[in-house]
Structure formats: structure tokens, C-alpha cells
Amino acid sequence: MTTFADRPLEEQIAQWRAYVRRRPALHGPDVEELEGHLRDQLTALTESGLAGDEAFLVAVKRMGSLDALSREFARAHSERLWKQLVIAPDAEKPANTGRAEILVVLSLAVAAALAIKVPALFGLPLSPNQEVPPFYFRNATLFVFPLLAIYFMWKRGWNVMSGLWLALPFAAGAVFANAFPWGTVVIDNAPKGRDTEVLTILHLPIALWLAVGFAYVRGRWFDDGGRMNFVRFSGELAIYYVLIALGGGVLTGFTFMMFAAIDMNAGWFVAGWLIPCGAAGAVIVGSWLVEAKQSVIENMAPVLTRLFTPLFTVLLLVFLATMVWTGSPINVKREVLIGFDLLLVLVVGLVLYAASARDPQAPPDFFDGLQLLLVVSALVVDGVALAAIAARISEFGFTPNRVAALGENLILLVNLAWTAWLYARFLRHRGSFGDLERWQIAYLPVYSVWAALVVVMFPPVFGYR
């Protein structure tokens, strides 16, 4: 088995650099400066007679400003020599700090869980015997995201006054989610929900997630390192949340089983308390897990990216081949369009996560070519979907769903097209991977801005229908 110390010196530096780039507290220029200090230390140590591997280990140990980072790096990548040189028992994080953070996280998670129950005090209960009121869907993120922003403000050391402006987007979201005249509309003598309300439910979380991102990066949104760290956090949170949800599903099953054993129906407890409160609190707990256990998930996420990239590439290619073979057009019903948009967003997410886990200095390889094939396949699917939407609009006119789908697919088209161009340049050694990474993180606010426009403008423009 090859140990860390057996690897070539430049490979060790590259792995150290990639690890440092993933830390929330450090940003692009900081990483370059720290690498310069590391190389200066290496030069001095090798000139004094140390071998390259020994010099690297000692240099990392000497960088006092990176003590905590070095210990985490050692735990994630070390063999016995790393542990002897870097991990010091007296340098561990104070236990009181860890306990304080756990107390804050638990308090916010409980607050999010209880916030779900507040509407019941005003005549909007959650009951297993009736349909969930649309109010809960419109305000789902407002129960949780402000508390998540508070957690990041506390963790990043914001003072109260400097963070007050972050309350504005959440307050605006609450107004636009509840001030419009929502309710059912009669179509063909049957009551139906309003399309603009559904669009608000789907787009408000996207718009408000940007506010959470500002809290995460401590307001330093235009620092490239901060935005990419938030991208990593978002993906890792999704992984943890799914894992927590799977555990919650097992807990729900056992709850039904145990109460059924004494001839009691636990539906009132599961539907009214366990699922909604657990879903809200899990966002806060999952976020804390990402922050506290990054060395674990950072090893998992790149593996998942490399696993699902070829699978989704095959899926898109098979779909396109089948569509050409059968001549069947895409159905432009709302549910189908939402599914396609989610698929395309997932492709963009795979590209983003691959970029976040990759060393920008590494040369192109087979996986980069596979990523380009995935992007091109998604680009073709997006073009086909846009053609179907445009044909539907020209035949039947504009509706809120069609215009929203048109805008979202155009936004995805621009992202995918330029991503494919930058990937192709990188593979042909005519551009750097950093160009692709900068494009992806610079484009992120476009999604939130469009989502905000859908929430604010679509209901009045389309007559709240």
C-alpha cells in the first residue's frame, strides 16, 4: 500500500492545495499566498538537507496559521508519520466551543420544527385526514432558511447590525408568498389551484437560497472562493439531507409498526409532527454536519459525481436516440417540463461539483471528456425542449407555466452552451479549467434572479391565474 509520504512532492503539494481550496474560511488569493509560504519553507528545508517528503511534512507543521487546517488534513490523508508530526493532543479544539455550537444548532433546529406548528394556532393545522393547506408549501422555506442564515451568521462571526440587511429578502419573500389573492379558480366547472401559486412554491426557495449563500460567505459573495465553497456546501447538504430522510423513513415505519401493535393509528403523530417537524429541523442539523464533518463528505461527493456522470450521460444519449427512432415529441405538460428542468439542473450540478472537487492545475483527462459529452447531450435535450415549448406557445398562446419554462430553459441553454465551449477549449489546451469554474460560479445568481422575477412579477402579470 502506498502511503502519503511515498508520493512525489508536487503531487503532495497539489493534494494539499486542493484540500485548502475547499475550506470555507480560505479564498483564492489566500490559497495562493499560503502555497507560496509552503514552497518557501520547502526550499529552505531541502537546502538544509531534508528529503522532499520530510521537508513537506515539516513545512506544513511549521505553518502556524494553518494549525487547525493541518490537523484536519492529517486526519483525512495521514499515515503514522503524519499523525506523529502534525496532530498534537494539546492543540485540539476546545470542547466548550463544540458544545456551544451543538447547543446553537439544536436550538435552531427545534425553532424550525416549532415554526411549522405556529400556523395551526391560526386555524391552519396539519392533519392526516385532510389535504395540506397551500400556505405550508408557499412558506416552507421561510420556516427554515432564515434560521439557517442565522446559524451561518453566528458561525462566521457576523455582528447583528451588519447582518440585518439579510432579513430584507426573507421579509420580501414572506410578503410575496402571502399577499397575493391566492385560492382556487374554477376552470370547466371544477375548482383548480392557480398556476402562478405553484410557480411561487417552486421558485421562492431558489430565490431565497441566494440569501443563505450571502450569510454562508459572510457577505463576500464576489470572492470566487466563497461562491465555490457555497456550491460545495449545497451539494453536500443535499447528500446529508437524503441520508437523514432515509433514516427518517425507517423511523416512520417503525413508528407505525409499534403503535399498530397496540391497536393505535399513529397517523396523526406522523403527519402532524414527525414528518413536517423532522423535515424542517433536518435542514439545520444537516448543515451543521456538513460544517463539522467535511473531511468525510468531501471524499464521498467526488466519488458520487464520477459515478453518476457516466450514468446520466448514457441516459441522455439513450433518450435522444429513442426520440429520434420513434419520432415522438416531448410532452409539454407542466409535470414533464418540471422533470426535464430538474434533469438539466442536475447535469449543471454534476458539472459544478466536478469542478469544485478538481485541481484546476491538473491537465485534462478522460473524465473531462465525459463531462463534455454530458453537457452536449444536455444541451441537445434542452434545445428539443425549447422547440416543443415554443411550438406550444405559438399554437395555444402564453400561460404562466409556458413562459416560466421558456425562461428557465433559455437560462439553462446559455449556461450549458458556454460550458460546452469552455470545456472544449480546455480539452484542446486552448483555455484553462479556471475559466470554466469562474463561469459557473459567476452564473449562479442568474437562477435566483429569474426565480425572484417569477415570484414577484408572474402573479400580477398573468392575473393570478
Side-chain angles (χ1 to χ4, degrees):
M1 176 180 178
T2 303
T3 65
F4 186 82
D6 294 331
R7 300 173 188 173
L9 182 59
E10 284 301 321
E11 183 180 346
Q12 295 181 34
I13 295 174
Q15 188 172 4
W16 177 89
R17 180 175 59 245
Y19 188 86
V20 172
R21 285 181 183 274
R22 295 198 293 267
R23 312 315 296 171
L26 296 175
H27 307 281
D30 303 326
V31 175
E32 294 176 4
E33 182 179 356
L34 289 171
E35 184 178 346
H37 291 321
L38 178 65
R39 289 186 179 274
D40 291 342
Q41 290 279 352
L42 285 172
T43 300
L45 290 167
T46 52
E47 288 178 353
S48 67
L50 288 180
D53 294 333
E54 295 173 330
F56 176 74
L57 296 171
V58 174
V60 173
K61 174 62 177 176
R62 284 184 176 180
M63 296 179 69
S65 61
L66 278 179
D67 279 348
L69 178 68
S70 299
R71 289 195 301 276
E72 292 183 22
F73 185 66
R75 290 189 181 94
H77 302 283
S78 67
E79 296 297 333
R80 183 174 58 86
L81 181 59
W82 259 109
K83 294 179 181 179
Q84 291 174 350
L85 289 175
V86 180
I87 302 176
D90 57 348
E92 293 296 326
K93 185 178 181 179
N96 290 337
T97 304
R99 284 196 293 268
E101 183 168 359
I102 291 174
L103 182 61
V104 170
V105 168
L106 290 178
S107 300
L108 292 173
V110 171
L114 293 179
I116 295 288
K117 303 301 297 181
V118 171
L121 301 176
F122 299 90
L124 289 171
L126 285 171
S127 172
N129 301 320
Q130 63 184 29
E131 188 177 351
V132 177
F135 172 87
Y136 284 95
F137 295 113
R138 294 198 309 269
N139 293 274
T141 50
L142 292 168
F143 294 132
V144 180
F145 283 8
L147 296 171
L148 183 57
I150 289 173
Y151 166 62
F152 287 129
M153 290 170 63
W154 174 84
K155 188 170 178 64
R156 304 291 187 261
W158 284 46
N159 60 60
V160 176
M161 295 305 298
S162 63
L164 278 179
W165 63 271
L166 266 182
L168 295 177
F170 296 113
V175 170
F176 288 108
N178 299 286
F180 290 140
W182 305 122
T184 58
V185 59
V186 178
I187 301 177
D188 297 331
N189 297 322
K192 294 184 179 180
R194 298 176 186 266
D195 289 341
T196 50
E197 183 178 17
V198 175
L199 290 174
T200 296
I201 292 170
L202 294 174
H203 289 81
L204 186 59
I206 302 172
L208 293 182
W209 191 241
L210 186 66
V212 177
F214 269 93
Y216 183 89
V217 300
R218 202 168 181 261
R220 300 171 64 181
W221 180 257
F222 294 101
D223 189 314
D224 288 349
R227 283 177 286 176
M228 184 54 78
N229 287 329
F230 183 61
V231 168
R232 295 188 188 99
F233 163 79
S234 301
E236 292 161 9
L237 174 59
I239 295 172
Y240 267 121
Y241 195 82
V242 170
L243 295 176
I244 293 173
L246 291 174
V250 174
L251 176 63
T252 300
F254 277 107
T255 300
F256 276 115
M257 180 199 71
M258 289 187 296
F259 279 89
I262 55 175
D263 297 323
M264 290 188 64
N265 184 3
W268 67 272
F269 171 72
V270 171
W273 288 89
L274 182 60
I275 293 178
C277 295
V283 176
I284 307 295
V285 174
S287 300
W288 168 70
L289 288 173
V290 173
E291 290 284 286
K293 308 294 182 184
Q294 284 179 337
S295 61
V296 176
I297 201 69
E298 283 169 357
N299 292 330
M300 182 192 304
V303 173
L304 293 177
T305 302
R306 289 183 174 267
L307 172 64
F308 284 103
T309 292
L311 294 178
F312 276 95
T313 304
V314 171
L315 171 63
L316 292 175
L317 292 175
V318 170
F319 169 76
L320 290 171
T322 304
M323 187 175 62
V324 171
W325 179 264
T326 61
S328 300
I330 291 178
N331 189 330
V332 291
K333 289 184 178 179
R334 181 175 66 193
E335 294 77 9
V336 176
L337 292 177
I338 291 174
F340 270 96
D341 286 344
L342 289 176
L343 174 63
L344 296 174
V345 168
L346 183 59
V347 170
V348 173
L350 287 173
V351 173
L352 268 170
Y353 226 92
S356 72
R358 190 187 193 283
D359 183 0
Q361 307 301 323
D365 55 20
F366 171 78
F367 185 74
D368 293 307
L370 191 61
Q371 285 277 106
L372 176 59
L373 180 59
L374 174 65
V375 172
V376 172
S377 303
L379 189 60
V380 175
V381 170
D382 193 16
V384 172
L386 275 171
I389 295 169
R392 192 75 171 178
I393 290 175
S394 65
E395 184 176 359
F396 297 103
F398 292 95
T399 66
N401 290 329
R402 292 171 197 152
V403 176
L406 180 65
E408 286 150 13
N409 281 272
L410 284 173
I411 290 172
L412 287 167
L413 182 74
V414 172
N415 191 357
L416 291 169
W418 195 245
T419 298
W421 171 255
L422 293 175
Y423 245 128
R425 284 178 55 84
F426 173 62
L427 289 172
R428 296 167 62 188
H429 300 280
R430 295 186 177 182
S432 68
F433 192 82
D435 295 334
L436 174 65
E437 184 176 327
R438 284 189 291 273
W439 161 251
Q440 287 293 337
I441 58 179
Y443 200 76
L444 285 176
V446 175
Y447 298 103
S448 289
V449 170
W450 172 252
L453 287 175
V454 172
V455 172
V456 175
M457 300 298 297
F458 274 43
V461 167
F462 288 98
Y464 308 102
R465 69 176 189 266

